[in-house]
Amino acid sequence: MCMVTNSEFTDEALDRVRLYKTVIRNCNFTNTDFSRIDLTDVRFENCDLSNANLGNASMNRVEFLNCKLLGSSLTESYIGNTRFEGSILNMAMFSNSKLEKVIFDDATLESADFFDCNLKKLEFLSCNLNSASFEETPLKGIDIRSSDFDSLTVSIENLKGCIVSTSQAIKFASLIGLKIQ
């Protein structure tokens, strides 16, 4: 029931912030520590959260629209019913997080780290996943067909059940040493 606009919160430490039914528009949160933030029914529009610490966060029904989360940490978090649309998440860290019913739509996730994550009903729609890492993260049921990448870090056993395009299947086959003629 609140709107925050055109505010500057760089290099701040805001521990255990709780936001409900809030729209945050055109704000700068670079290098801000939001450890254990609790977000429900929140929409971020055109915000910069680069290098922000969102570790141990709880997010439910959250939208990030045209936001910048370059190098942000979302480790050990629960992220549910959340949408990242038109956002930049290069080098973002999601390690040890649970992502459930999350949509990445036209997002850039170059070198993003999804180490040891629990992914359920995750969608990557027209995303840039180049050099993203999914080590120790099963991709069963995850559809990456419409997304682009030159390389991904994922083990063969965790790739089982991942939905890929024909060209992506050829890339994966060459990565495991198959010669396709």
Side-chain angles (χ1 to χ4, degrees), residues 1-5 7 21-25 27 43 45:
M1 305 288 228
C2 172
M3 180 176 284
V4 179
T5 59
S7 295
K21 297 181 182 179
T22 304
V23 175
I24 301 169
R25 185 177 291 145
C27 293
R43 184 170 63 227
E45 298 175 1

Side-chain angles (χ1 to χ4, degrees), residues 57-68:
S58 175
M59 297 183 196
N60 197 26
R61 296 185 306 272
V62 177
E63 292 180 296
F64 292 90
L65 307 175
N66 299 309
C67 290
K68 192 178 194 183

Side-chain angles (χ1 to χ4, degrees), residues 2-181:
C2 172
M3 180 176 284
V4 179
T5 59
N6 303 312
S7 295
E8 187 89 18
F9 294 97
T10 58
D11 301 308
E12 298 283 337
L14 305 166
D15 193 42
R16 292 186 182 254
V17 172
R18 290 185 179 169
L19 296 174
Y20 302 98
K21 297 181 182 179
T22 304
V23 175
I24 301 169
R25 185 177 291 145
N26 301 319
C27 293
N28 186 351
F29 299 105
T30 56
N31 300 312
T32 296
D33 186 353
F34 285 114
S35 298
R36 297 185 290 255
I37 193 167
D38 185 359
L39 302 171
T40 303
D41 297 317
V42 175
R43 184 170 63 227
F44 290 88
E45 298 175 1
N46 304 309
C47 292
D48 190 347
L49 293 109
S50 295
N51 298 313
N53 179 6
L54 297 151
N56 296 293
S58 175
M59 297 183 196
N60 197 26
R61 296 185 306 272
V62 177
E63 292 180 296
F64 292 90
L65 307 175
N66 299 309
C67 290
K68 192 178 194 183
L69 291 104
L70 183 68
S72 293
S73 174
L74 294 108
T75 58
E76 299 179 7
S77 296
Y78 171 78
I79 303 169
N81 302 293
T82 296
R83 179 180 204 88
F84 295 89
E85 184 177 322
S87 294
I88 300 170
L89 294 111
N90 296 346
M91 297 180 283
M93 297 172 287
F94 294 89
S95 303
N96 302 300
S97 291
K98 180 177 183 178
L99 289 83
E100 188 171 10
K101 297 180 184 173
V102 174
I103 299 171
F104 292 96
D105 185 359
D106 194 31
T108 304
L109 293 131
E110 283 196 40
S111 300
D113 185 10
F114 291 88
F115 176 79
D116 197 22
C117 286
N118 183 346
L119 309 179
K120 289 185 181 176
K121 297 184 181 179
L122 198 73
E123 295 182 55
F124 291 101
L125 307 172
S126 302
C127 293
N128 177 350
L129 295 173
N130 196 40
S131 299
S133 177
F134 294 91
E135 287 188 76
E136 304 294 324
T137 300
L139 296 177
K140 184 177 181 176
I142 306 300
D143 188 342
I144 61 171
R145 285 181 291 186
S146 66
S147 294
D148 293 321
F149 59 88
D150 289 326
S151 67
L152 277 183
T153 302
V154 62
S155 62
I156 296 302
E157 62 272 7
N158 286 329
L159 195 56
K160 288 180 183 174
C162 184
I163 303 162
V164 298
S165 69
T166 304
S167 62
Q168 290 168 339
I170 292 168
K171 284 181 190 177
F172 285 124
S174 67
L175 290 172
I176 63 169
L178 292 177
K179 295 189 187 236
I180 301 167
Q181 296 184 355

